[in-house]
Amino acid sequence: MALAGPSSALLSSSSSACLRRLNPLLLSAACRRPAGGQRRAARRFCAAIASEADVFTSPEVAKSFDFTNEERIYKWWESQGFFKPNFDRGGDPFVIPMPPPNVTGSLHMGHAMFVTLEDIMVRYFRMKGRPALWIPGTDHAGIATQLVVEKMLAAEGVKRTDLTREEFTKKVWEWKEKYGGTITNQIRRLGASCDWSRERFTLDEQLSRAVIEAFVRLHDKGLIYQGSYLVNWSPNLQTAVSDLEVEYSEEPGNLYFIKYRVAGGTRDDFLTIATTRPETLFGDVAIAVNPEDKRYAQYVGRLAIVPLTCGRHVPIIADRYVDPEFGTGVLKISPGHDHNDYHIARKLGLPILNVMNKDGTLNDVAGLYSGMDRFEAREKLWSDLVETNLAVKKEPYTLRVPRSQRGGEVIEPLISKQWFVTMEPLAEKALRAVENGQLTILPERFEKIYNHWLTNIKDWCISRQLWWGHRIPVWYIVGKKCEEDYIVARTEEEALTKAQEKYGKSVEIYQDPDVLDTWFSSALWPFSTLGWPDLSKDDYKHFYPSTVLETGHDILFFWVARMVMMGIEFTGSVPFSYVYLHGLIRDSEGRKMSKTLGNVIDPLDTIKDYGTDALRFTLSLGTAGQDLNLSTERLTSNKAFTNKLWNAGKFLLQNLPDRSDVSAWDALLANKFDTEASLQELPLPECWVVTGLHGLIDKVSTSYDKFFFGDAAREIYDFFWGDFADWYIEASKTRLYHSADKLAAARAQSVLLYVFENILKILHPFMPFVTEELWQALPYRKQALMVTPWPTTDLPKDLRSIKRFQNLQALIRGIRNVRAEYTVEPAKRISASVVATADVLEYVSKEKQVLALLSKLDVQNVNFTESAPGDANQSVHIVADEGLEAYLPLADMVDVSEEVKRLSKRLSKMQSEYDALVARLNSQSFVEKAPEEIVRGVREKASEAEEKISLTKNRLAFLQSTVST
């Protein structure tokens, strides 16, 4: 469908002829002129609000929407202050804290997803009149940032340890100032309407103060403690890392089978254990078997000799944790180097041995292997076990290897002194928040995961052995043991004062060298960004608690649950009312995007090729909590949607009154169709499309309110493309080009403008750039689209018009299908007799022009009657609906004799192809020997061929009967 109608003032005689060829609706100079129309001078529309800004481009002068305009539009929005919350219209604030991306980050599709969804929410509620605040910011990303700067220094031949802590952190701040804005500039490119004047960084002075305050308060309540426990340790980074920073990968390895002799037994008394990490046997403290395993019952309670340890003995115990089916059913317990073993040892009161240094080498507990790298020791140890006849066998085995998300190295479970938060009392309150409805998690199924994690929560290791981050506010006394004497304070001055009060004026103190886990500061994000702990701050009073926290479902525990716990603990309130969780972005085949697979789709490249709006619309079509497969086909389709919108805008602008015609525009803008009377005065197509729009506004508003963004997007898409563009715009051409009725033309103009501007409003949160550009091109816009009020809901609807227009559509489709079946030339006009009951004829006949235009009928030879025409037996009969039929004379459409010859020839060919397929299926050899999918394919082809033959025979018989008649 060609949306762009004519604008006679812009056409020379030669271009008019060209346009006539492109658009068969332009039949004559008279019908090219809009009703009542003198030729208009060329127009370039621009909204008054942006007239001096030179920001926007009209569809009248641009063939398509130019993606390079997006940055200019964005800067204009920001310069007008539209991203800041506006209290002029009252209402409760709508607040979203942006998940802070790492300051080292570069835009990827995960960022594009959260920016799209959060911006949809903010733009919608802003238009609904609520003061909308979207708080942006970045995370200092302790490990990631320190790694980046260390690599930068290494390129200059400098190691971190060559610098003092102060010198290194200065280098990091310099890097942050130079490169830290990359990710936020890229987020802007996605159209994020967040309030950049409130941008935060987790190491800002205010947020740092909040972090220290939180630590002090938790410690004062006895919820923070120091101790030596098993943690995830990064030997290269020399720090503990969080569970989130450990990624497990399946890699080829070995399962080693080793003999453990039973003390006091014969040479035949031994247990064979299977392990993937033989180097940890120096840390064995017990050998365990399942109490139901009769193979080893005789050894329970005795001692086993750990190989290559000079005869060290460990007890043989029974525990139901041991899987009799794994390996040999015998488990070595090395609690210092395995999380499961650690929990067994804690449960049974077993000692804990650490055999590893912090750099991944074995320590003195390993005896002769001391100082060797853990992987080097593994090979050497196995060789020695073979030599001493203690090795049974080694077989290939797929390992689940824990690797650092940052550096890629193998993470080592290691006993280390760290700071921990006691989580159980905090988790109880977070659980109740969901139970009593204070917090709603969307989709609902994630509540079970949330509850399970909080119910089984473990204490949180919050210390990291880094230089970049929030320094732990703990000071130690020189000359005293750290475990016994330490001071927690908000500042060094406060710590010194406390120390002097206890130990005298000559006391010396030094601060704990560790920093806090990045997730600790992130857990305070919803309220630290608003001024907490200063409760008098206006932002804190106006905007806390926030409304929605939107993020990926993969960090429900690591971030979301911790924010809930900290929010309740420090503010007494759940930090947000809703948690909306999105899924992961995968490639078109459902695979996770990775550089290894070469399937990563770059958002910035996508924007360049398809536009931001097409990318946003594509991402919005997903379902909450479910992964979305992204493909270039989807992006191409939604780029076409952008073009369709643009062409619709072009059509409107070419067919609305001249801007200088003030009275005409007053009349147009006055038509709101918000009463039953105003709706019922409209002709059928106009009443139908306005009724459809009113229903759409209701459905879409409900979907937005329920966070069903995919549903809202699809509903808008279907209405705009399927109803407005494909049907109503085409129908309106009968009023604009084929009628001398000025009132009908003015009514069509009013409906076109009314429907289109409301489509722009409800589509704006999804596709902000093209909708704002089109909105500004329409004359007499009082304000920018992004701050225009949302359409009113519960507007009148004429449901009768829906059914009536559906009947008309069915009739038009039926005629189009017949034309296609008989391959009627597109430009050929045919006659028709429409047969219906009197009440149906009454409304269908009024739309004779619409029927003729959209069905390509000869308007002079369209007849309406209550009985079949005399030439019915020589016509194709269409039943559009009960009480509505049509007869299309064959002679108008085809040369019957030639069509009979053509179909006879085609039928003969089809029969031959069908017979060949049947012959293959009748061959026993083919059916038995050919692959099943090949046989199935032949059967399907034969079935399709049989159906086509039947249809062709019926049509041929009909044509032959008309010839004989």
Side-chain angles (χ1 to χ4, degrees), residues 673 676 679-680 682-699 719 723 751 754-755 795-803:
F673 308 109
E676 296 281 355
L679 194 59
Q680 290 172 1
L682 294 173
L684 178 59
E686 283 73 18
C687 186
W688 165 77
V689 77
V690 171
T691 295
L693 172 71
H694 290 172
L696 176 70
I697 292 170
D698 290 348
K699 286 188 291 185
F719 177 82
D723 292 353
V751 169
Y754 176 74
V755 175
L795 291 169
K797 305 168 191 69
D798 185 343
L799 300 182
R800 185 179 59 175
S801 70
I802 300 291
K803 174 60 179 171

Side-chain angles (χ1 to χ4, degrees), residues 128-170:
K128 291 281 282 186
R130 293 175 66 174
L133 174 61
W134 186 11
I135 308 165
T138 49
D139 192 289
H140 65 276
I143 292 176
T145 307
Q146 182 159 316
L147 265 177
V148 168
V149 176
E150 283 189 19
K151 287 178 181 178
M152 180 187 73
L153 292 172
E156 301 170 1
V158 179
K159 294 181 180 179
R160 173 171 61 94
T161 51
D162 294 338
L163 306 174
T164 65
R165 184 178 191 130
E166 290 70 25
E167 288 171 338
F168 178 77
T169 53
K170 182 181 178 183

Side-chain angles (χ1 to χ4, degrees), residues 356-632:
M356 203 85 65
N357 295 314
K358 291 186 176 180
D359 62 357
T361 60
L362 271 60
N363 62 24
D364 292 342
V365 175
L368 295 174
Y369 302 88
S370 176
M372 295 180 68
D373 174 78
R374 50 187 167 158
F375 301 115
E376 179 188 354
R378 181 180 300 174
E379 299 304 317
K380 171 63 175 166
L381 181 69
W382 180 250
S383 174
D384 291 346
L385 288 168
V386 171
E387 195 173 314
T388 55
N389 293 319
L390 293 174
V392 178
K393 64 178 178 176
K394 177 176 70 173
E395 60 184 35
Y397 187 75
T398 301
L399 306 177
R400 190 166 177 263
V401 180
R403 289 192 176 274
S404 168
Q405 186 187 62
R406 303 301 175 193
E409 64 172 320
V410 176
I411 292 297
E412 186 67 42
L414 196 70
I415 296 294
S416 175
K417 183 186 291 184
Q418 303 288 343
W419 289 94
F420 295 84
V421 177
T422 303
M423 301 302 289
E424 191 173 336
L426 301 175
E428 289 175 1
K429 297 176 184 177
L431 282 166
R432 285 200 297 271
V434 171
E435 289 172 6
N436 62 25
Q438 291 176 282
L439 176 64
T440 300
I441 298 176
L442 303 170
E444 189 177 341
R445 69 177 184 276
F446 284 100
E447 283 188 12
K448 291 182 180 178
I449 299 171
Y450 173 91
N451 291 339
H452 176 78
W453 188 74
L454 287 177
T455 302
N456 298 279
I457 199 165
K458 300 171 184 174
D459 287 355
W460 176 13
C461 173
I462 58 169
S463 47
R464 299 290 180 266
Q465 289 65 52
L466 302 170
W467 283 359
W468 173 248
H470 297 100
R471 191 92 172 259
I472 289 180
V474 171
W475 282 262
Y476 302 109
I477 311 301
V478 174
K480 300 284 185 180
K481 288 185 178 180
C482 298
E483 295 86 350
E484 297 174 1
D485 292 278
Y486 66 83
I487 294 170
V488 175
R490 292 168 177 81
T491 64
E492 185 171 6
E493 292 75 15
E494 181 184 335
L496 183 60
T497 300
K498 288 183 175 180
Q500 288 174 341
E501 290 174 355
K502 187 174 182 180
Y503 298 102
K505 294 293 183 180
S506 62
V507 70
E508 294 182 33
I509 62 173
Y510 62 97
Q511 191 171 359
D512 193 307
D514 292 353
V515 299
L516 287 163
D517 179 11
T518 301
W519 293 100
F520 188 87
S521 54
S522 298
L524 314 178
W525 186 253
F527 48 94
S528 64
T529 52
L530 296 173
W532 186 90
D534 187 350
L535 306 186
S536 65
K537 292 280 188 181
D538 286 344
D539 274 6
Y540 183 82
K541 290 190 290 185
H542 290 150
F543 300 117
Y544 186 81
S546 54
T547 313
V548 179
L549 188 284
E550 192 285 330
T551 191
H553 65 68
D554 53 330
I555 55 174
L556 175 60
F557 339 120
F558 302 107
W559 188 43
V560 178
R562 287 170 176 167
M563 281 189 287
V564 175
M565 289 185 278
M566 294 301 181
I568 296 172
E569 173 65 24
F570 295 121
T571 72
S573 302
V574 178
F576 26 74
S577 302
Y578 297 92
V579 172
Y580 181 99
L581 301 170
H582 66 251
L584 304 178
I585 307 291
R586 299 185 178 273
D587 71 6
S588 57
E589 298 176 24
R591 300 175 301 174
K592 189 174 182 179
M593 291 187 185
S594 72
K595 293 179 180 178
T596 305
L597 292 174
N599 62 348
V600 175
I601 301 176
D602 186 290
L604 297 178
D605 290 342
T606 304
I607 288 171
K608 183 179 178 181
D609 294 336
Y610 300 95
T612 302
D613 289 322
L615 173 59
R616 286 171 57 119
F617 195 78
T618 303
L619 295 177
S620 70
L621 291 170
T623 303
Q626 293 185 6
D627 294 350
L628 175 71
N629 293 354
L630 184 63
S631 66
T632 54

Side-chain angles (χ1 to χ4, degrees), residues 27-252:
L27 303 177
S28 66
C31 72
R32 284 198 306 277
R33 231 179 269 120
Q38 299 179 348
R39 293 185 154 205
R40 306 188 199 119
R43 300 170 258 127
R44 182 176 297 184
F45 291 134
C46 188
I49 192 169
S51 59
E52 297 177 4
D54 193 25
V55 174
F56 300 99
T57 305
S58 169
E60 283 214 312
V61 297
K63 182 180 178 181
S64 60
F65 178 56
D66 186 351
F67 304 147
T68 62
N69 289 354
E70 293 173 350
E71 291 183 82
R72 189 162 66 247
I73 294 170
Y74 187 87
K75 289 176 182 176
W76 181 76
W77 282 331
E78 189 173 6
S79 71
Q80 300 298 308
F82 293 150
F83 297 164
K84 297 180 179 181
N86 186 341
F87 287 88
D88 291 349
R89 290 162 62 189
D92 293 330
F94 180 85
V95 185
I96 299 183
M98 176 186 288
N102 288 350
V103 71
T104 57
S106 184
L107 195 70
H108 57 66
M109 278 300 174
H111 297 127
M113 174 66 97
F114 88 68
V115 170
T116 294
L117 293 173
E118 292 173 27
D119 197 46
I120 287 171
M121 297 180 197
V122 170
R123 287 180 184 270
Y124 168 66
F125 285 105
R126 182 184 292 121
M127 293 176 77
K128 291 281 282 186
R130 293 175 66 174
L133 174 61
W134 186 11
I135 308 165
T138 49
D139 192 289
H140 65 276
I143 292 176
T145 307
Q146 182 159 316
L147 265 177
V148 168
V149 176
E150 283 189 19
K151 287 178 181 178
M152 180 187 73
L153 292 172
E156 301 170 1
V158 179
K159 294 181 180 179
R160 173 171 61 94
T161 51
D162 294 338
L163 306 174
T164 65
R165 184 178 191 130
E166 290 70 25
E167 288 171 338
F168 178 77
T169 53
K170 182 181 178 183
K171 292 284 187 184
V172 182
W173 276 109
E174 289 172 357
W175 179 92
K176 189 265 180 187
E177 294 306 313
K178 187 173 182 180
Y179 300 106
T182 300
I183 186 67
T184 53
N185 289 331
Q186 292 172 336
I187 286 173
R188 278 180 161 91
R189 192 67 188 83
L190 286 163
S193 59
C194 40
D195 185 353
W196 294 106
S197 69
R198 288 178 165 87
E199 183 181 357
R200 300 290 184 260
F201 178 54
T202 47
L203 279 178
D204 284 347
E205 182 180 349
Q206 155 60 31
L207 274 69
S208 296
R209 189 163 69 90
V211 169
I212 300 305
E213 184 66 28
F215 185 98
V216 172
R217 292 191 189 186
L218 288 173
H219 185 271
D220 287 350
K221 289 187 70 173
L223 294 176
I224 284 183
Y225 64 93
Q226 188 181 41
S228 294
Y229 298 93
L230 194 70
V231 298
N232 296 312
W233 184 261
S234 171
N236 286 355
L237 296 172
Q238 291 281 289
T239 181
V241 295
S242 75
D243 291 342
L244 185 63
E245 290 156 340
V246 178
E247 293 181 340
Y248 290 87
S249 63
E250 291 192 348
E251 302 176 17

